[in-house]
């Protein structure tokens, strides 16, 4: 399978940005407002991950680039459950891994993985990595996702497998290899480890992670039951453009985020 990413503009969904305030509004916000927006979405994303069981111990992290200092990013503090993270808990990390804003310490693996990806991908506003059940199980199969479900096609020709494993990522050299393998793709499966997704916003990145975790689950279920039919190239490309749309991702996130804020308003503190 070729690994050249497919553009997924989702032309029929272009008008959703104006209706939901998800597109040009970001560009129109000033730096302080954009920073506040990104931090709110990041805190909500952690609560969302907790709801779906994407947290385990001290593992897992989501980052978002600071709009005023692009070599800095916001991240969750080490050893704080996703279900308890609030906006005020988030840490700002500089290019050397130092905590610039915040009272706690960060995860060393979070710094290495995310800093390397942010540096290699200026377009990656956010990066998500967590140790999920289905993502880890699928990573042990040493294979890419097949275009067998329409939602899986969000990653058709838009993800890769990183086939090295050297334990926890606590060295710059390994994190740089992960970033190089990711290339221009939307996601990378770390063999024996888990999933990483990137996107142009927290909303997109978190939704792609959620979608990929579900895609791993669906493929394993289908393969356990028999031999799933693989879509034709025409079918897969069509589904990739529709379900790989950034607009679609932001809408999906928005629906889940509204529920989080309604039921857990402390996330905004």
């Amino acid at each position: 399978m070729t690994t050249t990413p497919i553009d997924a503009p989702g032309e029929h969904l272009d008008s959703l940005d104006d209706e939901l305030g998800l597109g040009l509004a970001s560009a129109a916000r000033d730096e302080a407002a954009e920073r506040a927006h990104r931090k709110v979405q990041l805190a909500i994303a952690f609560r969302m991950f907790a709801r779906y069981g994407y947290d385990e111990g001290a593992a897992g992290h989501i980052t978002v680039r600071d709009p005023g200092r692009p070599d800095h990013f916001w991240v969750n503090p080490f050893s704080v459950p996703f279900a308890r993270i609030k906006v005020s808990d988030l840490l700002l990390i500089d290019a050397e891994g130092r905590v610039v804003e915040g009272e706690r310490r960060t995860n060393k693996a979070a710094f290495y993985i995310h800093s390397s990806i942010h540096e290699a991908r200026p377009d990656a506003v956010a990066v998500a990595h967590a140790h999920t059940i289905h993502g880890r199980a699928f990573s042990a199969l040493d294979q890419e996702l097949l275009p067998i479900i329409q939602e899986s096609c969000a990653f058709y020709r838009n993800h890769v497998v990183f086939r090295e494993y050297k334990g926890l990522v606590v060295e710059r050299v390994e994190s740089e290899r992960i970033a190089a393998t990711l290339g221009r793709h939307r996601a990378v499966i770390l063999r024996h480890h888990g999933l990483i997704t990137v996107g142009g916003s927290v909303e997109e990145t978190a939704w792609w992670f959620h979608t990929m975790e579900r895609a791993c689950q669906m493929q394993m279920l289908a393969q356990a039951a028999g031999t799933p039919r693989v879509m034709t190239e025409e079918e897969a490309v069509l589904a990739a453009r529709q379900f790989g749309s950034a607009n679609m991702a932001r809408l999906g996130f928005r629906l889940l985020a509204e529920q989080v804020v309604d039921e857990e308003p402390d996330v905004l503190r």
Side-chain angles (χ1 to χ4, degrees), residues 148-155 208 211-212 215 218 231 239 243-244:
I148 57 174
I149 306 294
Q150 57 187 9
E151 290 83 2
S152 302
C153 291
F155 306 98
W208 297 139
T211 301
M212 194 172 205
M218 289 185 286
M231 291 180 176
F243 290 87

Side-chain angles (χ1 to χ4, degrees), residues 201-247:
S201 64
V202 171
E203 297 93 320
E204 294 167 43
T205 302
W207 181 256
W208 297 139
F209 191 94
H210 178 61
T211 301
M212 194 172 205
E213 166 69 7
R214 290 294 181 87
C216 290
Q217 180 182 14
M218 289 185 286
Q219 181 163 324
M220 289 189 293
L221 284 172
Q223 290 176 329
T227 302
R229 176 188 179 275
V230 176
M231 291 180 176
T232 65
E233 173 74 4
E234 182 179 6
E235 292 169 336
V237 169
L238 172 62
R241 287 179 175 152
Q242 294 176 337
F243 290 87
S245 163
N247 293 342

Side-chain angles (χ1 to χ4, degrees), residues 117-145:
I117 293 176
H118 280 297
E119 182 177 342
R121 289 284 300 273
D123 63 309
V125 172
V127 181
H129 169 57
H131 299 173
T132 56
I133 298 297
H134 302 105
R136 280 181 295 176
F138 190 84
S139 75
L141 299 178
D142 193 22
Q143 61 181 265
E144 296 180 8
L145 287 167

Side-chain angles (χ1 to χ4, degrees), residues 134-212:
H134 302 105
R136 280 181 295 176
F138 190 84
S139 75
L141 299 178
D142 193 22
Q143 61 181 265
E144 296 180 8
L145 287 167
L146 296 172
I148 57 174
I149 306 294
Q150 57 187 9
E151 290 83 2
S152 302
C153 291
F155 306 98
Y156 181 62
R157 297 197 308 199
N158 214 343
H159 75 292
V160 287
V161 178
F162 180 72
R163 292 189 161 90
E164 299 180 40
Y165 179 76
K166 296 183 179 180
L168 294 173
V169 182
V170 292
E171 294 183 356
R172 184 75 176 182
V173 173
E174 185 174 4
S175 65
E176 289 176 344
R177 286 199 295 265
I178 292 173
T181 300
L182 172 66
R184 306 302 302 173
H185 298 87
R186 172 172 289 161
V188 57
I189 299 170
L190 307 180
R191 189 170 63 178
H192 307 304
H193 189 160
L195 312 175
I196 294 177
T197 58
V198 302
S201 64
V202 171
E203 297 93 320
E204 294 167 43
T205 302
W207 181 256
W208 297 139
F209 191 94
H210 178 61
T211 301
M212 194 172 205

Side-chain angles (χ1 to χ4, degrees), residues 30-49:
D30 63 24
E31 182 181 306
E34 178 62 22
R35 179 177 296 111
H37 170 80
R38 292 184 184 187
K39 291 174 67 177
V40 166
Q41 303 312 308
L42 183 59
I44 291 172
F46 284 116
R47 296 293 184 101
M48 186 185 303
F49 274 30

Side-chain angles (χ1 to χ4, degrees), residues 255-267:
L255 297 176
L256 297 178
E258 288 177 351
Q259 184 178 357
V260 169
V261 173
D262 286 345
E263 298 176 2
E264 304 174 48
D266 66 303
V267 68

